[in-house]
Amino acid sequence: MNWFVNLLNLLIIVGIGLDVYAAMEIRGAMLQKIRLKILIPICLLLALIQCIFFFGGYIITYEMVQHNEVQDANTLGFGLAAIIDFLLAVRLIHKAMKREQIEEKREEMSVKNYVLIMLAGAIYTLFAGLASGLMAANIWLVMFFIVASTVVVVSMGIYTGYRYGFASRPRLYVIGAVLLIIAGLASLLSAFL
């Protein structure tokens, strides 16, 4: 069952990652030049933010479970994971359908802009941590997923946007939403079986 919990966490992280990827693709499309000495700290800082939010959520519910303050924590964790999956899927579908106007302008890489983007979606990472703590997921494995996926999606998003613009954004949102709906349905089945 632990492999299943880790798989569900991986799907949530991939869904969050696709949202981050699309946001980074927009930022990359507006860059004058990609500076590697700025990109690497940005990737590491954004991964750290994701880990802090995840760990914060995880430790809250993990401690509650350890002190027997939560009855049937596993079922509650799967239910919470399903809710997170569905809410994030709705958010991604909404973003895919919305035709937002993006002010195109060339800009320099700024750590502040990227941190603000990450903080906007970090609430989902916090809730993923809450669900993982209830399900007693392997925190170190999930944190590894978070760091690896954050570095990959931020880098790829910026480079893809820089090279090709941000035309693939709606498709990524739909792919992310489909993955999250599948994970949500699996979580619901696990909660009730």
Side-chain angles (χ1 to χ4, degrees):
M1 185 66 131
N2 203 18
W3 66 270
F4 185 67
V5 169
N6 291 328
L7 178 64
L8 289 176
N9 281 309
L10 177 61
L11 287 174
I12 291 172
I13 291 165
V14 167
I16 293 169
L18 288 173
D19 185 31
V20 171
Y21 177 90
M24 293 302 151
E25 192 177 38
I26 293 169
R27 302 300 318 173
M30 293 187 245
L31 289 177
Q32 289 179 357
K33 182 178 179 183
I34 296 176
R35 290 189 162 69
L36 200 56
K37 62 182 168 185
I38 297 175
L39 179 62
I40 291 171
I42 286 172
C43 288
L44 295 176
L45 180 61
L46 298 182
L48 178 65
I49 290 169
Q50 289 284 72
C51 286
I52 289 169
F53 274 82
F54 181 84
F55 185 76
Y58 182 90
I59 201 70
I60 290 168
T61 52
Y62 181 79
E63 286 298 319
M64 289 173 69
V65 169
Q66 294 303 311
H67 293 97
N68 295 322
E69 295 176 18
V70 178
Q71 302 300 323
D72 203 13
N74 215 22
T75 301
L76 183 60
F78 281 119
L80 181 58
I83 292 168
I84 295 164
D85 290 332
F86 293 138
L87 288 175
L88 189 53
V90 167
R91 177 177 184 223
L92 292 179
I93 290 170
H94 173 71
K95 283 183 161 186
M97 294 172 62
K98 186 171 78 169
R99 300 284 179 211
E100 64 182 306
Q101 293 293 341
I102 299 169
E103 183 183 330
E104 293 188 48
K105 61 181 181 205
R106 291 290 175 200
E107 58 185 39
E108 292 293 322
M109 289 185 88
S110 162
V111 175
K112 178 184 171 190
N113 292 337
Y114 296 96
V115 169
L116 292 174
I117 291 169
M118 188 60 75
L119 288 175
I123 189 72
Y124 290 99
T125 308
L126 175 74
F127 287 129
L130 290 169
S132 294
L134 289 168
M135 295 184 291
N138 181 339
I139 189 167
W140 303 115
L141 182 62
V142 178
M143 295 276 251
F144 173 76
F145 289 157
I146 290 170
V147 170
S149 70
T150 302
V151 169
V152 168
V153 299
V154 169
S155 301
M156 284 180 51
I158 289 174
Y159 275 106
T160 303
Y162 182 73
R163 297 277 184 223
Y164 306 108
F166 46 83
S168 66
R169 223 169 27 103
R171 283 178 290 196
L172 290 172
Y173 287 141
V174 171
I175 291 168
V178 168
L179 284 173
L180 287 163
I181 290 169
I182 291 169
L185 292 172
S187 293
L188 274 180
L189 287 174
S190 299
F192 296 111
L193 293 179

